[in-house]
Structures are given as structure tokens and as C-alpha cells.
């Protein structure tokens, strides 16, 4: 099996405290994988290690290998890693600029011409379902958008540089049902073109959108399987406990 992202014996410690413990896993291309597990189990750390938001320094020690399309990520510089593997956080805040300028930001940095920038911006706003809602106010401040629209804008913005993998860390935790529904529908469409890894504390969300689900506890992978198996036929007692506890 050729995984788009493969992790071998990954260990991460902060100030000698082990946070990720021997993680080995492969992520399939054009799938949505949900990462679930209690607060503090290492979900965000795992995600951030994938795109070098966490890297080896005085406090953080990282052991193990991460392969992107079979190539060791340690060969890439950080900028290139983040070009290929984009990340959106829980409460992303648009730049205090117009909607259009938010979308244009990275494209300008990468030297794309004006006409090309416009073409990409329209395309990415369309794919995130925002275009129809905001096409007449592209010059308005992005900070005037609703929370759900801001979240979709940040996702659209992260797509302008065409990453292969999109990492999302609890992207819906501050949103209401309607906006959650928008984002979930968007992700289901996006998986045709991107590989999506999403941390969520909302188990129903994992059930609704994820092809595969990874359950973590205390920095370890407890179980990783098709979402249906994790929720309807978990093999590990700890998974069973977590799933049933969370569903009451
Ligand atoms: P989750 O996202 O599952 O809630 P995290 O990955 O954020 O968990 O955190 C896992 C553990 O690592 C926690 O105990 C947290 O306090 C610790 N941790 C996370 N980031 C850092 C950091 N930069 N420095 C020190 N400890 C950290
Ligand atoms: Mg977290």
C-alpha cells in the first residue's frame, strides 16, 4: 500500500515528558481520517508534527520518521513541508485585510501573476462554497464575516497554494450546527482532491464524514480502522469504553 503520509515509530517529548509514544501509521490518499481521543492525549501534537509546526528544539525532542509520498520529510525544508501539508486551526483568524487580500496573500508571496491569482481565488472560494455568499463583497474586511464564513475562508486560503494534505484541528468546535454542516459538506467534496486529517472531539462528526478513524490515548494509538469498525465493532476494550462513554 502506498500511503500519502506514513509515520514510523514517532516519539515526541516536551521537556523530557513523552507526549507521543511510538506512533506508526499510514494515511490513505483522498480519504478523510478522523483523530479522536480525550483532551491531552496528543492529537494536536501529532497533527503539528506532520507539517513541522512542532520541530526539534530545546524543548521538543522528536524521534522517528515521517514519509510524504515515500520521501522522508526530513529532506524537505520547513517551507516546502508546509506548502505540501496545510493546516487550519480551531479558531483561525483571517488577516485584518479584505477577503480578496486574504486569499491573495500566499499567491503573491509565491509570485503568481494577477490574472492567475484571480482565477485561483475564484476557484477556491467556489470549492469551499463561499463564493456565492461573498462574491459582491470581496473588498470588505474579512473580519466582518461570520465565524463560520471566517473558518471557511481560512480553509479556502490554505488551499490557494495547492497542498496535498489538509490538516484540521477541531475546526468546528466554535461553530453552530448550520456552519458545522457547511464545513462537513465542504470536506466531503474536498476529499476528491485532497487528503484530509481532522482532529475532532465530536464523535458524531467523525462518524458522519471520516472514512477512517484513529483513536488515541496517552500518546499512543489504541486503534485505527475503518470508521464503521471503530464505532460499531471496536476491537479494543479502551475504544469501546471511550465510544460508549462519549455516547452516554
Ligand atoms: P490534545 O490535542 O489531544 O488535547 P496535545 O497534543 O495538545 O493534546 O497535548 C498533549 C500533551 O502535550 C499535553 O499534556 C500538553 O500539555 C503537552 N504539550 C503540548 N504542547 C506542548 C508544548 N509546546 N510544550 C510542552 N508541553 C506541551
Ligand atoms: Mg488539541
Amino acid at each position: 500500500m502506498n500511503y500519502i503520509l506514513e509515520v514510523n515509530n514517532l516519539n515526541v517529548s516536551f521537556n523530557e515528558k513523552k507526549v507521543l509514544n511510538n506512533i506508526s501509521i499510514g494515511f490513505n490518499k483522498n480519504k478523510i481520517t478522523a483523530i479522536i481521543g480525550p483532551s491531552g492525549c496528543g492529537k494536536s501534537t501529532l497533527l503539528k508534527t506532520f507539517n513541522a509546526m512542532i520541530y526539534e528544539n530545546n524543548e521538543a525532542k522528536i524521534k522517528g520518521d515521517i514519509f510524504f509520498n515515500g520521501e522522508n520529510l526530513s529532506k524537505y525544508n520547513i517551507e516546502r513541508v508546509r506548502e505540501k501539508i496545510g493546516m487550519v486551526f480551531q479558531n483561525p483568524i483571517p488577516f485584518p485585510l479584505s477577503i480578496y487580500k486574504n486569499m491573495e496573500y500566499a499567491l503573491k508571496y509565491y509570485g503568481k501573476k494577477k490574472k492567475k491569482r484571480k482565477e485561483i481565488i475564484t476557484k477556491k472560494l467556489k470549492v469551499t462554497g463561499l463564493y456565492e455568499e461573498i462574491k459582491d463583497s470581496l473588498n470588505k474586511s474579512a473580519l466582518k464575516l461570520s465565524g463560520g464564513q471566517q473558518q471557511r475562508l481560512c480553509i479556502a486560503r490554505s488551499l490557494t497554494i495547492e497542498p496535498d494534505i489538509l490538516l484540521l484541528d477541531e475546526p468546528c468546535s466554535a461553530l453552530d450546527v448550520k456552519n458545522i454542516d457547511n464545513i462537513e459538506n465542504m470536506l466531503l467534496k474536498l476529499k476528491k482532491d485532497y487528503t484530509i486529517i481532522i482532529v475532532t472531539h465530536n464523535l458524531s462528526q467523525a462518524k458522519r464524514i471520516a472514512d477512517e478513524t484513529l483513536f488515541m490515548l496517552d500518546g499512543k494509538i489504541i486503534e485505527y480502522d475503518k470508521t464503521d469498525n471503530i464505532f460499531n465493532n471496536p476491537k479494543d476494550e479502551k475504544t469501546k469504553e471511550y465510544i460508549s462513554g462519549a455516547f452516554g
Side-chain angles (χ1 to χ4, degrees):
M1 183 60 109
N2 286 330
Y3 295 113
I4 185 163
L5 191 72
E6 191 170 1
V7 181
N8 282 344
N9 299 316
L10 180 69
N11 287 275
V12 175
S13 308
F14 292 115
N15 302 310
E16 313 289 318
K17 181 180 163 246
K18 191 164 263 200
V19 171
L20 294 181
N21 195 335
N22 242 11
I23 302 279
S24 293
I25 187 171
F27 293 93
N28 289 312
K29 202 171 169 148
N30 297 109
K31 299 279 182 210
I32 299 179
T33 302
I35 304 181
I36 60 169
S39 181
C41 74
K43 304 180 296 296
S44 296
T45 302
L46 184 62
L47 222 53
K48 286 184 201 157
T49 310
F50 292 159
N51 81 331
M53 291 294 291
I54 291 174
Y55 49 88
E56 184 93 9
N57 58 34
N58 285 342
E59 281 142 36
K61 295 286 164 248
I62 304 178
K63 273 196 267 169
D65 291 302
I66 302 176
F67 296 92
F68 172 74
N69 279 329
E71 270 198 90
N72 201 314
L73 267 189
S74 63
K75 285 197 222 148
Y76 288 55
N77 66 33
I78 285 185
E79 194 167 284
R80 178 130 175 87
V81 172
R82 293 190 189 151
E83 225 180 287
K84 292 282 164 201
I85 308 178
M87 182 157 185
V88 174
F89 297 95
Q90 185 171 343
N91 288 311
I93 301 173
F95 305 133
L97 298 169
S98 72
I99 295 168
Y100 197 83
K101 288 207 165 110
N102 264 271
M103 291 296 290
E104 207 176 28
Y105 205 86
L107 294 170
K108 269 190 160 168
Y109 177 84
Y110 285 101
K112 295 273 189 248
K113 297 272 186 302
K114 198 170 174 189
K115 189 166 163 239
K116 187 74 188 163
R117 294 203 297 266
K118 187 161 186 225
E119 191 184 305
I120 296 172
I121 289 168
T122 307
K123 188 170 157 208
K124 297 307 168 191
L125 286 174
K126 279 187 176 161
V127 80
T128 45
L130 262 182
Y131 189 74
E132 286 306 316
E133 291 168 41
I134 61 173
K135 64 174 190 280
D136 297 324
S137 40
L138 292 174
N139 293 322
K140 282 202 187 133
S141 167
L143 299 178
K144 294 245 166 74
L145 295 171
S146 74
Q149 287 174 325
Q150 289 191 15
Q151 180 60 290
R152 277 184 287 151
L153 177 67
C154 289
I155 294 172
R157 191 177 64 186
S158 74
L159 298 179
T160 56
I161 58 167
E162 288 297 353
D164 289 314
I165 301 177
L166 184 60
L167 308 173
L168 301 151
D169 196 352
E170 310 211 15
C172 295
S173 56
L175 302 180
D176 62 22
V177 179
K178 186 165 176 295
N179 280 304
I180 292 175
D181 195 48
N182 275 337
I183 301 247
E184 289 181 1
N185 285 328
M186 177 192 78
L187 294 177
L188 288 169
K189 276 191 214 141
L190 287 178
K191 79 169 177 174
K192 180 165 64 67
D193 297 312
Y194 306 91
T195 300
I196 296 167
I197 306 175
I198 176 172
V199 169
T200 176
H201 62 252
N202 181 340
L203 298 189
S204 309
Q205 176 165 68
K207 265 184 143 173
R208 282 193 297 268
I209 64 169
D211 301 287
E212 274 134 28
T213 295
L214 164 62
F215 172 53
M216 288 177 68
L217 203 57
D218 292 336
K220 294 192 194 116
I221 294 179
I222 303 298
E223 200 165 338
Y224 176 48
D225 205 338
K226 299 244 171 296
T227 297
D228 188 44
N229 289 341
I230 293 283
F231 286 100
N232 297 319
N233 196 13
K235 294 191 183 61
D236 196 290
E237 282 304 318
K238 296 194 199 91
T239 316
K240 261 179 223 170
E241 216 173 286
Y242 185 70
I243 302 292
S244 61
F247 281 125

